[in-house]
Amino acid sequence: MNTRVGSWVSHRKWILAVVVLPVLAAAWWAFRPEKLWINQKVNEPAPFASSADPQPLYTGRLQGKAHQTSGRGTIYKTSDGKEYLRLMDFMTSNGPDVHVVLAQSDDANLTQEIVKGQFDSVELGPLKGNQGDQNYDLPASVDLQKYNAAVIYCERFHAVFGVARLEQF
Amino acid sequence: MVRKMKTALTLVALTFAFGLQVSVYAQDSMKHEDKTKTLETGTFHGKVHKTSGRATIYQEADGKLVLRLTNFKTSNGPDVHVILIAAKDADDDANFLNSSTERVELGSLKGNEGDQNYEIPSDTDLSKFQAVSIYCERFNANFGAAPLEKF
């Protein structure tokens, strides 16, 4: 009696070994469920060797509002800690009293062409040219987490020419 | 006659004041010698397998193309590769097996987190391959994609 039960159990063990284990192994190989918890972290240096060069911090494409505006705005940090905004492949329409300012990207004013009421912005200077690559120094204390949009802004008519929402580079 | 000329002059003055806006071209140089050029960049999106970070293509001084992932994060998985696809973008979990989307293999994903570089074959046409995909070969699943735009 005892031996019969014993052999039945070992028979089941045998089936388990032959059928279930390979299935489990295949499933493990295919899905690698442990990878859900295991992270593989790497940290390779940038392809450019010199860290003395200005490093890009934030970047974004310019989108036209009141006037067609295109190009890219990027905020760089130089090795001595200074920050500047660089406009590249830049193009907008020329106009009177046009300035480059930083603003908050979620500011409702930036969804409209004309700013009405309070516009919380940081002045970077008058627009140097309506075309071409150009740099604007940032005030040392500006909070780039808060002022995360570069705006081409006509002071005279409160017109938003174009906006670049800046994302972490 | 004098009146006509006055009108004409006024019209000319008005044209100058409002209509005729001469382009002013500025050309500031980069504040360093640009040995490595930044060609294209874009941010990752991916919902099914949460993927985030930035993909940037650099060209080194010797012409070599490098794809660099920064602030990168995706879920870990089996047989995950980095590929360039001949499309503007890829949908979440897009199945590439059923489509004839051309792709350029850049290698196995080195890590599911962190900054990493991948060499791009020198004959790759970047105007054709416009997006990066984190791609699981085994299940033909797109973990996340980054559409690239000119830097």
Side-chain angles (χ1 to χ4, degrees), chain B residues 21 39 48 56 65-66 80 85 110 113 125 131:
Chain B
Q21 290 178 339
L39 301 182
V48 180
T56 307
L65 296 173
V66 178
V80 182
I85 54 174
K110 294 173 185 177
E113 274 181 55
D125 179 4

Side-chain angles (χ1 to χ4, degrees), chain B residues 45 81-104 129 131-146:
Chain B
H45 60 83
H81 289 244
V82 182
I83 61 175
L84 293 177
I85 54 174
K88 283 221 160 68
D89 201 359
D91 292 333
D92 282 355
D93 246 8
N95 193 325
F96 291 106
L97 190 73
N98 297 331
S99 71
S100 54
T101 310
E102 275 187 79
R103 57 199 205 216
V104 177
F129 296 93
V132 182
S133 166
I134 307 302
Y135 173 68
C136 171
E137 294 272 0
R138 192 165 299 158
F139 298 109
N140 302 301
N142 172 44
F143 274 28

